[in-house]
Amino acid sequence: MEDEVDRLVAAWRRERSDLDVEPLEVLSRVSRLARHLDRARRLAFAEHGLEPWEFDVLTALRRAGAPYQLSPGQLLTQTLVTSGTMTNRIDRLTKKGLVERLPDPNDRRGVLVRLTDEGRDRGDKALAGLLAQERAILAELSRAQRGELAGLLRRLTAPFDNIPG
């Protein structure tokens, strides 16, 4: 079975035979797959009235476990955005009734962000939709192939995920 990357690589081998274009065979497919995944994610989230960034914040709170709350700093760490961006996101999610701000009982100046029942429900439904989309994308692979692919991708991404600072 031929794909667009096969055609791209063949063209580069023809036009630039002096270059080793083998990395394109893997990384161009990863890049194309990332675009397809982004579209599938956006669709899954839109079906539940959420933007991808909203899903990220809601699910970070959900993964924290009951009572589903984190400090803004903890949310920054999990979502990799600036504090100004996070403040804006919390404001917008609060206006939509998906999160609420509470005083931090351990820090009189601090606040905690807690998932509302509506936020938990919408996040949970969006997650179920996302997983259905992702299962469909992976349907051509056996369980063993999915495990092997996950391991190989982990080897590629772990160095980026474990950079200090």
Short mmCIF file of all heavy atoms in Angstrom, two decimals, residues 17-66:
data_model
loop_
_atom_site.label_atom_id
_atom_site.label_comp_id
_atom_site.label_asym_id
_atom_site.label_seq_id
_atom_site.Cartn_x
_atom_site.Cartn_y
_atom_site.Cartn_z
N SER A 17 19.22 13.07 -5.24
CA SER A 17 19.81 11.77 -4.95
C SER A 17 21.05 11.88 -4.07
O SER A 17 21.51 10.88 -3.51
CB SER A 17 20.14 11.04 -6.25
OG SER A 17 21.08 11.80 -7.01
N ASP A 18 21.57 13.10 -3.91
CA ASP A 18 22.73 13.31 -3.06
C ASP A 18 22.39 13.34 -1.57
O ASP A 18 23.28 13.30 -0.73
CB ASP A 18 23.43 14.62 -3.43
CG ASP A 18 22.50 15.83 -3.30
OD1 ASP A 18 21.34 15.75 -3.80
OD2 ASP A 18 22.91 16.84 -2.70
N LEU A 19 21.10 13.38 -1.24
CA LEU A 19 20.67 13.45 0.17
C LEU A 19 20.05 12.13 0.62
O LEU A 19 19.35 11.46 -0.14
CB LEU A 19 19.63 14.56 0.36
CG LEU A 19 20.10 15.99 0.15
CD1 LEU A 19 18.93 16.95 0.29
CD2 LEU A 19 21.22 16.34 1.12
N ASP A 20 20.28 11.80 1.88
CA ASP A 20 19.62 10.64 2.50
C ASP A 20 18.28 11.12 3.06
O ASP A 20 18.25 11.81 4.08
CB ASP A 20 20.50 10.07 3.62
CG ASP A 20 19.83 8.94 4.37
OD1 ASP A 20 18.77 8.45 3.91
OD2 ASP A 20 20.35 8.55 5.43
N VAL A 21 17.20 10.79 2.38
CA VAL A 21 15.88 11.27 2.79
C VAL A 21 15.13 10.25 3.65
O VAL A 21 13.94 10.42 3.91
CB VAL A 21 15.03 11.68 1.56
CG1 VAL A 21 15.65 12.87 0.84
CG2 VAL A 21 14.81 10.52 0.62
N GLU A 22 15.82 9.22 4.12
CA GLU A 22 15.18 8.18 4.93
C GLU A 22 14.41 8.74 6.14
O GLU A 22 13.32 8.23 6.44
CB GLU A 22 16.21 7.15 5.39
CG GLU A 22 15.58 6.02 6.16
CD GLU A 22 16.59 5.01 6.67
OE1 GLU A 22 17.79 5.33 6.73
OE2 GLU A 22 16.16 3.91 7.03
N PRO A 23 14.92 9.77 6.86
CA PRO A 23 14.14 10.28 8.00
C PRO A 23 12.73 10.72 7.62
O PRO A 23 11.81 10.63 8.44
CB PRO A 23 14.96 11.47 8.50
CG PRO A 23 16.37 11.14 8.10
CD PRO A 23 16.24 10.42 6.77
N LEU A 24 12.55 11.16 6.38
CA LEU A 24 11.21 11.57 5.95
C LEU A 24 10.21 10.42 6.01
O LEU A 24 9.02 10.63 6.23
CB LEU A 24 11.25 12.13 4.53
CG LEU A 24 12.04 13.41 4.30
CD1 LEU A 24 12.07 13.76 2.82
CD2 LEU A 24 11.46 14.55 5.12
N GLU A 25 10.68 9.20 5.79
CA GLU A 25 9.79 8.05 5.78
C GLU A 25 9.10 7.85 7.12
O GLU A 25 7.96 7.38 7.17
CB GLU A 25 10.55 6.79 5.37
CG GLU A 25 11.01 6.87 3.92
CD GLU A 25 11.54 5.55 3.43
OE1 GLU A 25 10.77 4.58 3.43
OE2 GLU A 25 12.71 5.51 3.02
N VAL A 26 9.76 8.22 8.20
CA VAL A 26 9.17 8.10 9.54
C VAL A 26 8.54 9.43 9.96
O VAL A 26 7.35 9.50 10.29
CB VAL A 26 10.22 7.67 10.58
CG1 VAL A 26 9.64 7.71 11.99
CG2 VAL A 26 10.75 6.29 10.25
N LEU A 27 9.34 10.48 9.95
CA LEU A 27 8.89 11.72 10.57
C LEU A 27 7.84 12.46 9.75
O LEU A 27 6.98 13.13 10.33
CB LEU A 27 10.09 12.60 10.90
CG LEU A 27 11.06 11.92 11.88
CD1 LEU A 27 12.28 12.79 12.13
CD2 LEU A 27 10.38 11.55 13.18
N SER A 28 7.85 12.32 8.45
CA SER A 28 6.77 12.93 7.66
C SER A 28 5.45 12.22 7.94
O SER A 28 4.39 12.85 7.98
CB SER A 28 7.08 12.89 6.16
OG SER A 28 8.12 13.80 5.87
N ARG A 29 5.52 10.92 8.17
CA ARG A 29 4.29 10.19 8.53
C ARG A 29 3.81 10.61 9.92
O ARG A 29 2.61 10.75 10.14
CB ARG A 29 4.53 8.69 8.46
CG ARG A 29 4.57 8.18 7.04
CD ARG A 29 4.67 6.67 6.94
NE ARG A 29 4.58 6.27 5.55
CZ ARG A 29 5.64 6.04 4.77
NH1 ARG A 29 6.86 6.14 5.25
NH2 ARG A 29 5.46 5.70 3.51
N VAL A 30 4.74 10.79 10.84
CA VAL A 30 4.35 11.25 12.18
C VAL A 30 3.69 12.63 12.07
O VAL A 30 2.65 12.88 12.68
CB VAL A 30 5.56 11.27 13.14
CG1 VAL A 30 5.22 11.99 14.43
CG2 VAL A 30 6.04 9.85 13.43
N SER A 31 4.28 13.51 11.28
CA SER A 31 3.73 14.85 11.11
C SER A 31 2.34 14.82 10.48
O SER A 31 1.42 15.50 10.94
CB SER A 31 4.69 15.67 10.24
OG SER A 31 4.18 16.96 10.02
N ARG A 32 2.17 14.02 9.45
CA ARG A 32 0.85 13.90 8.79
C ARG A 32 -0.16 13.29 9.74
O ARG A 32 -1.31 13.74 9.81
CB ARG A 32 0.96 13.07 7.51
CG ARG A 32 1.77 13.75 6.42
CD ARG A 32 1.92 12.88 5.19
NE ARG A 32 0.63 12.63 4.55
CZ ARG A 32 -0.01 13.49 3.77
NH1 ARG A 32 0.52 14.66 3.51
NH2 ARG A 32 -1.17 13.18 3.23
N LEU A 33 0.25 12.27 10.49
CA LEU A 33 -0.63 11.66 11.46
C LEU A 33 -1.04 12.67 12.53
O LEU A 33 -2.22 12.72 12.94
CB LEU A 33 0.03 10.44 12.11
CG LEU A 33 -0.80 9.68 13.13
CD1 LEU A 33 -2.10 9.17 12.53
CD2 LEU A 33 0.02 8.53 13.71
N ALA A 34 -0.11 13.51 12.96
CA ALA A 34 -0.42 14.54 13.97
C ALA A 34 -1.51 15.48 13.45
O ALA A 34 -2.42 15.86 14.21
CB ALA A 34 0.83 15.32 14.35
N ARG A 35 -1.45 15.85 12.19
CA ARG A 35 -2.50 16.72 11.62
C ARG A 35 -3.85 16.00 11.60
O ARG A 35 -4.88 16.59 11.91
CB ARG A 35 -2.10 17.20 10.23
CG ARG A 35 -1.00 18.26 10.29
CD ARG A 35 -0.83 18.99 8.97
NE ARG A 35 -0.34 18.15 7.90
CZ ARG A 35 0.95 17.95 7.61
NH1 ARG A 35 1.88 18.52 8.33
NH2 ARG A 35 1.29 17.18 6.60
N HIS A 36 -3.85 14.72 11.22
CA HIS A 36 -5.10 13.95 11.22
C HIS A 36 -5.65 13.81 12.65
O HIS A 36 -6.86 13.92 12.88
CB HIS A 36 -4.90 12.58 10.60
CG HIS A 36 -4.65 12.61 9.13
ND1 HIS A 36 -5.56 13.08 8.21
CD2 HIS A 36 -3.56 12.25 8.41
CE1 HIS A 36 -5.08 13.00 7.00
NE2 HIS A 36 -3.86 12.50 7.09
N LEU A 37 -4.76 13.56 13.61
CA LEU A 37 -5.19 13.44 15.00
C LEU A 37 -5.76 14.76 15.52
O LEU A 37 -6.75 14.77 16.25
CB LEU A 37 -4.02 13.00 15.89
CG LEU A 37 -3.54 11.58 15.68
CD1 LEU A 37 -2.27 11.32 16.49
CD2 LEU A 37 -4.62 10.58 16.05
N ASP A 38 -5.13 15.86 15.14
CA ASP A 38 -5.62 17.17 15.58
C ASP A 38 -7.04 17.40 15.07
O ASP A 38 -7.91 17.85 15.82
CB ASP A 38 -4.68 18.28 15.09
CG ASP A 38 -5.07 19.64 15.62
OD1 ASP A 38 -5.17 19.79 16.86
OD2 ASP A 38 -5.29 20.56 14.79
N ARG A 39 -7.30 17.05 13.82
CA ARG A 39 -8.65 17.20 13.27
C ARG A 39 -9.65 16.31 14.02
O ARG A 39 -10.75 16.74 14.34
CB ARG A 39 -8.66 16.83 11.79
CG ARG A 39 -8.12 17.91 10.92
CD ARG A 39 -8.40 17.59 9.44
NE ARG A 39 -7.36 18.23 8.66
CZ ARG A 39 -6.56 17.60 7.80
NH1 ARG A 39 -6.70 16.33 7.57
NH2 ARG A 39 -5.66 18.26 7.14
N ALA A 40 -9.26 15.06 14.28
CA ALA A 40 -10.15 14.13 14.99
C ALA A 40 -10.43 14.64 16.40
O ALA A 40 -11.57 14.56 16.88
CB ALA A 40 -9.53 12.73 15.03
N ARG A 41 -9.41 15.17 17.07
CA ARG A 41 -9.58 15.68 18.43
C ARG A 41 -10.53 16.88 18.42
O ARG A 41 -11.43 16.97 19.25
CB ARG A 41 -8.24 16.08 19.02
CG ARG A 41 -7.31 14.90 19.25
CD ARG A 41 -6.00 15.37 19.80
NE ARG A 41 -6.22 15.67 21.20
CZ ARG A 41 -5.65 15.04 22.20
NH1 ARG A 41 -4.77 14.13 21.97
NH2 ARG A 41 -5.93 15.35 23.43
N ARG A 42 -10.30 17.80 17.50
CA ARG A 42 -11.16 18.99 17.43
C ARG A 42 -12.61 18.60 17.21
O ARG A 42 -13.51 19.18 17.80
CB ARG A 42 -10.68 19.94 16.34
CG ARG A 42 -9.39 20.65 16.71
CD ARG A 42 -8.93 21.62 15.62
NE ARG A 42 -7.70 22.24 16.00
CZ ARG A 42 -7.59 23.27 16.83
NH1 ARG A 42 -8.67 23.79 17.37
NH2 ARG A 42 -6.41 23.78 17.13
N LEU A 43 -12.84 17.61 16.35
CA LEU A 43 -14.19 17.13 16.08
C LEU A 43 -14.80 16.51 17.34
O LEU A 43 -15.93 16.82 17.71
CB LEU A 43 -14.18 16.11 14.95
CG LEU A 43 -15.53 15.48 14.60
CD1 LEU A 43 -16.51 16.53 14.12
CD2 LEU A 43 -15.34 14.40 13.54
N ALA A 44 -14.04 15.66 18.02
CA ALA A 44 -14.54 15.01 19.24
C ALA A 44 -14.88 16.06 20.30
O ALA A 44 -15.90 15.95 20.99
CB ALA A 44 -13.51 14.02 19.79
N PHE A 45 -14.06 17.09 20.44
CA PHE A 45 -14.30 18.11 21.45
C PHE A 45 -15.47 19.02 21.04
O PHE A 45 -16.31 19.37 21.87
CB PHE A 45 -13.06 18.96 21.69
CG PHE A 45 -11.85 18.16 22.10
CD1 PHE A 45 -10.58 18.60 21.78
CD2 PHE A 45 -11.98 16.97 22.80
CE1 PHE A 45 -9.46 17.87 22.16
CE2 PHE A 45 -10.86 16.23 23.18
CZ PHE A 45 -9.60 16.68 22.86
N ALA A 46 -15.53 19.38 19.76
CA ALA A 46 -16.60 20.26 19.28
C ALA A 46 -17.97 19.63 19.48
O ALA A 46 -18.94 20.34 19.75
CB ALA A 46 -16.38 20.60 17.81
N GLU A 47 -18.06 18.31 19.39
CA GLU A 47 -19.33 17.63 19.60
C GLU A 47 -19.85 17.85 21.02
O GLU A 47 -21.03 17.65 21.29
CB GLU A 47 -19.19 16.14 19.31
CG GLU A 47 -19.05 15.83 17.83
CD GLU A 47 -18.81 14.36 17.54
OE1 GLU A 47 -18.78 13.55 18.49
OE2 GLU A 47 -18.65 14.04 16.35
N HIS A 48 -18.96 18.28 21.92
CA HIS A 48 -19.34 18.53 23.31
C HIS A 48 -19.15 20.00 23.68
O HIS A 48 -19.10 20.34 24.86
CB HIS A 48 -18.55 17.60 24.23
CG HIS A 48 -18.78 16.16 23.90
ND1 HIS A 48 -19.94 15.50 24.27
CD2 HIS A 48 -18.06 15.29 23.18
CE1 HIS A 48 -19.89 14.27 23.79
NE2 HIS A 48 -18.78 14.12 23.13
N GLY A 49 -19.06 20.84 22.66
CA GLY A 49 -18.97 22.27 22.87
C GLY A 49 -17.68 22.72 23.52
O GLY A 49 -17.67 23.71 24.25
N LEU A 50 -16.59 22.01 23.25
CA LEU A 50 -15.31 22.35 23.86
C LEU A 50 -14.25 22.63 22.81
O LEU A 50 -14.24 22.02 21.74
CB LEU A 50 -14.81 21.21 24.76
CG LEU A 50 -15.64 20.86 25.98
CD1 LEU A 50 -15.07 19.61 26.65
CD2 LEU A 50 -15.69 22.02 26.96
N GLU A 51 -13.34 23.52 23.16
CA GLU A 51 -12.12 23.75 22.38
C GLU A 51 -11.04 22.83 22.95
O GLU A 51 -11.12 22.42 24.10
CB GLU A 51 -11.68 25.21 22.53
CG GLU A 51 -12.63 26.22 21.94
CD GLU A 51 -12.66 26.17 20.41
OE1 GLU A 51 -11.63 25.81 19.80
OE2 GLU A 51 -13.73 26.45 19.85
N PRO A 52 -10.00 22.53 22.16
CA PRO A 52 -8.93 21.68 22.68
C PRO A 52 -8.31 22.18 23.98
O PRO A 52 -8.05 21.40 24.90
CB PRO A 52 -7.91 21.65 21.54
CG PRO A 52 -8.74 21.84 20.31
CD PRO A 52 -9.82 22.81 20.73
N TRP A 53 -8.09 23.49 24.10
CA TRP A 53 -7.49 24.01 25.33
C TRP A 53 -8.43 23.84 26.51
O TRP A 53 -7.98 23.61 27.64
CB TRP A 53 -7.05 25.47 25.16
CG TRP A 53 -8.18 26.45 24.96
CD1 TRP A 53 -8.68 26.91 23.79
CD2 TRP A 53 -8.95 27.07 26.00
NE1 TRP A 53 -9.72 27.78 24.02
CE2 TRP A 53 -9.91 27.90 25.37
CE3 TRP A 53 -8.93 27.00 27.39
CZ2 TRP A 53 -10.82 28.67 26.08
CZ3 TRP A 53 -9.85 27.77 28.10
CH2 TRP A 53 -10.78 28.59 27.44
N GLU A 54 -9.75 23.94 26.28
CA GLU A 54 -10.70 23.74 27.37
C GLU A 54 -10.65 22.28 27.84
O GLU A 54 -10.64 22.02 29.05
CB GLU A 54 -12.12 24.09 26.89
CG GLU A 54 -12.31 25.57 26.63
CD GLU A 54 -13.64 25.89 25.99
OE1 GLU A 54 -14.03 25.18 25.02
OE2 GLU A 54 -14.29 26.85 26.44
N PHE A 55 -10.60 21.37 26.89
CA PHE A 55 -10.48 19.96 27.23
C PHE A 55 -9.21 19.72 28.05
O PHE A 55 -9.25 18.98 29.05
CB PHE A 55 -10.46 19.12 25.95
CG PHE A 55 -10.28 17.65 26.19
CD1 PHE A 55 -11.36 16.85 26.54
CD2 PHE A 55 -9.03 17.06 26.07
CE1 PHE A 55 -11.19 15.48 26.76
CE2 PHE A 55 -8.85 15.70 26.29
CZ PHE A 55 -9.93 14.92 26.63
N ASP A 56 -8.10 20.33 27.66
CA ASP A 56 -6.84 20.14 28.39
C ASP A 56 -6.96 20.55 29.85
O ASP A 56 -6.51 19.84 30.74
CB ASP A 56 -5.71 20.94 27.74
CG ASP A 56 -5.26 20.36 26.41
OD1 ASP A 56 -5.62 19.20 26.09
OD2 ASP A 56 -4.55 21.07 25.67
N VAL A 57 -7.57 21.69 30.10
CA VAL A 57 -7.71 22.17 31.49
C VAL A 57 -8.70 21.29 32.26
O VAL A 57 -8.42 20.87 33.39
CB VAL A 57 -8.15 23.66 31.54
CG1 VAL A 57 -8.42 24.10 32.97
CG2 VAL A 57 -7.08 24.55 30.90
N LEU A 58 -9.84 21.00 31.66
CA LEU A 58 -10.84 20.18 32.33
C LEU A 58 -10.30 18.80 32.68
O LEU A 58 -10.53 18.29 33.79
CB LEU A 58 -12.11 20.04 31.47
CG LEU A 58 -12.88 21.34 31.18
CD1 LEU A 58 -14.08 21.05 30.29
CD2 LEU A 58 -13.28 22.07 32.44
N THR A 59 -9.57 18.20 31.76
CA THR A 59 -9.07 16.86 32.03
C THR A 59 -7.88 16.86 32.99
O THR A 59 -7.68 15.88 33.70
CB THR A 59 -8.73 16.10 30.72
OG1 THR A 59 -7.79 16.87 29.96
CG2 THR A 59 -9.99 15.83 29.92
N ALA A 60 -7.13 17.95 33.04
CA ALA A 60 -6.07 18.05 34.05
C ALA A 60 -6.71 18.05 35.44
O ALA A 60 -6.24 17.36 36.36
CB ALA A 60 -5.24 19.31 33.84
N LEU A 61 -7.79 18.78 35.59
CA LEU A 61 -8.52 18.81 36.87
C LEU A 61 -9.15 17.45 37.16
O LEU A 61 -9.10 16.97 38.30
CB LEU A 61 -9.59 19.90 36.86
CG LEU A 61 -9.06 21.33 36.82
CD1 LEU A 61 -10.17 22.31 36.45
CD2 LEU A 61 -8.42 21.70 38.14
N ARG A 62 -9.70 16.81 36.16
CA ARG A 62 -10.36 15.51 36.35
C ARG A 62 -9.35 14.44 36.79
O ARG A 62 -9.63 13.64 37.67
CB ARG A 62 -11.04 15.11 35.04
CG ARG A 62 -11.80 13.79 35.10
CD ARG A 62 -13.02 13.91 36.00
NE ARG A 62 -13.94 12.82 35.80
CZ ARG A 62 -14.04 11.77 36.61
NH1 ARG A 62 -13.26 11.65 37.67
NH2 ARG A 62 -14.91 10.82 36.34
N ARG A 63 -8.17 14.47 36.18
CA ARG A 63 -7.14 13.48 36.52
C ARG A 63 -6.60 13.69 37.93
O ARG A 63 -6.04 12.75 38.52
CB ARG A 63 -5.96 13.56 35.53
CG ARG A 63 -6.27 13.02 34.16
CD ARG A 63 -5.02 12.91 33.30
NE ARG A 63 -4.20 14.10 33.28
CZ ARG A 63 -4.32 15.09 32.41
NH1 ARG A 63 -5.23 15.04 31.46
NH2 ARG A 63 -3.51 16.13 32.47
N ALA A 64 -6.79 14.88 38.48
CA ALA A 64 -6.32 15.16 39.84
C ALA A 64 -7.09 14.34 40.88
O ALA A 64 -6.64 14.18 42.00
CB ALA A 64 -6.43 16.66 40.15
N GLY A 65 -8.25 13.82 40.50
CA GLY A 65 -9.08 13.06 41.43
C GLY A 65 -9.89 13.99 42.32
O GLY A 65 -9.63 15.19 42.41
N ALA A 66 -10.89 13.41 42.99
CA ALA A 66 -11.77 14.20 43.84
C ALA A 66 -10.93 14.94 44.87
O ALA A 66 -9.98 14.38 45.41
CB ALA A 66 -12.79 13.30 44.51
#
